[in-house]
Structure formats: structure tokens, C-alpha cells
Amino acid sequence: RARAVPPLAMSEMPRAESAPAKATRPVLSETERSAIMTLRMIADASAHWPARYTARVALTLPEAQAWLYGLPSLAASPTPDASPLDRMRALLAALGNPEQRFKSIHVAGTKGKGSICAMLDSVLRASGQRVGLTTSPHLIDFRERIRIDGAVVATETAADLATRVQAAQQTAGIETLSFFEAVTAMAFLAFAEA
């Protein structure tokens, strides 16, 4: 443990006519001095490191879910002239554009999306294809939203995906993400790495 070393006060300074007084500073071992110097060097250097080199703190799944559920369901564009997709493009670029590393089918509409996706998933897996499927909402477990070959992603994988999306948000300088944008980016990462 590093200890604070206060400067000597004038009253503690040895006088010429008296015997030298003992300094009140604690004596640090060589190991403690070395540790303090190392911490100072790291602190000085890390202030100038690019964001991609700074350590990210891995989230647990409950922490990841708390972060995700704290995001707004919809996030407004930062400026009136910005496209709503600019934020998502910046996030995906910070993640290395995972959406470009796999083929996809986008199912849209007002009714039947879940049924169509379930059929496509079944047919494609039966033909030997690897299939990633993202759906919403989940019924019981958040991980149901991201499936690969019919199985939900592992707990550790879901937490890692959220950690990486959160770090990419900071790297890209995105102030606010929506829940949908974060989960979609997590799914794209999972599919690209499956």
C-alpha cells in the first residue's frame, strides 16, 4: 500500500546547534518506492493512450442487463440535421463493422415477423447453414434475444458483448445509445464471431 509522505514542517527541521532530529517521514521500503514510481509512470502515460488501449472492465450479465435496461428505448439524434443511422454507423465502425462479415436476411413488417424468422431459421439450419437469429422481446431470459444455431448465447458471451458495445460507445464518442441499437450491435458481433 502506498502511504502519503508529508513534507517536513519548519518546526521539524534540524537545527545546527542541536543534535540532528529524526525525520517524521515514514521510511518506505525499496519495493514501496518502486511501486509508487511505477504507478506514477502508468498514470502519466495512460492519460495519453488511445481509448482502444485502455483496459475495459468486464461486466457481469446482471451488470450488462442493468446498463442495457438503463438505456432509452429510443434515442434522439444529437443534431436536427444528423441521420438517425449516423450513431449506429459510428458504433459499428468502432466495433470493426461486424455487420459486414456475414450474410443476412432482414424481415420487416407489422405482423408475422417472428413466425417468418422461426421458419427461416429452421429451414436454413436443416440445410446445414449456420444461423444467427435476433428477436424481441425475450420471454424469460435476456439471452433469448440472440441465438446462434438455435441456442441462446452463453452468459459469459452476452456479458462480453455488452462490455464491448459499451466500450465502443465510449470510443466512438456516442453520448446516448438506444436499447435497440446496443442489442443489435451485440447481435451483429455474436453473428460475426460465430
Side-chain angles (χ1 to χ4, degrees), residues 3-194:
R3 290 179 269 169
V5 182
L8 291 174
M10 288 301 286
S11 62
E12 299 173 290
M13 297 296 268
R15 297 176 186 234
E17 63 267 5
S18 65
K22 282 190 165 181
T24 59
R25 290 181 177 206
V27 177
L28 299 177
S29 70
E30 184 63 34
T31 304
E32 290 171 318
R33 281 195 302 276
S34 175
I36 290 169
M37 290 303 295
T38 302
L39 289 172
R40 284 181 183 155
M41 290 185 330
I42 290 171
D44 291 343
S46 66
H48 306 291
W49 288 344
R52 67 179 176 271
Y53 295 125
T54 58
R56 65 176 189 249
V57 177
L59 300 172
T60 62
L61 186 58
E63 292 168 337
Q65 288 175 307
W67 171 68
L68 288 164
Y69 294 146
L71 296 174
S73 56
L74 296 172
S77 295
T79 59
D81 59 332
S83 164
L85 293 177
D86 288 344
R87 186 175 47 241
M88 192 65 177
R89 286 186 187 113
L91 178 65
L92 293 172
L95 291 167
N97 292 308
E99 79 285 4
Q100 296 176 4
R101 297 195 304 248
F102 57 89
K103 294 179 181 179
S104 63
I105 299 171
H106 182 184
V107 178
T110 56
K111 294 186 179 186
K113 293 183 296 294
S115 299
I116 295 295
C117 288
M119 272 191 291
L120 288 170
D121 177 70
S122 177
V123 168
L124 290 170
R125 281 193 294 132
S127 70
Q129 300 291 315
R130 294 221 56 191
V131 180
L133 175 65
T134 182
T135 58
S136 88
H138 63 273
L139 299 177
I140 299 168
D141 184 346
F142 170 81
R143 298 174 305 130
E144 294 170 23
R145 291 174 178 263
I146 304 171
R147 296 175 184 263
I148 297 173
D149 292 332
V152 298
V153 293
T155 300
E156 298 80 22
T157 302
D160 178 62
L161 294 169
T163 300
R164 291 164 60 195
V165 168
Q166 188 181 54
Q169 175 189 3
Q170 293 169 354
T171 300
I174 301 169
E175 191 173 319
T176 305
L177 274 182
S178 72
F179 178 86
F180 176 78
E181 290 166 333
V183 174
T184 301
M186 288 172 62
F188 286 167
L189 272 175
F191 301 158
E193 295 170 358

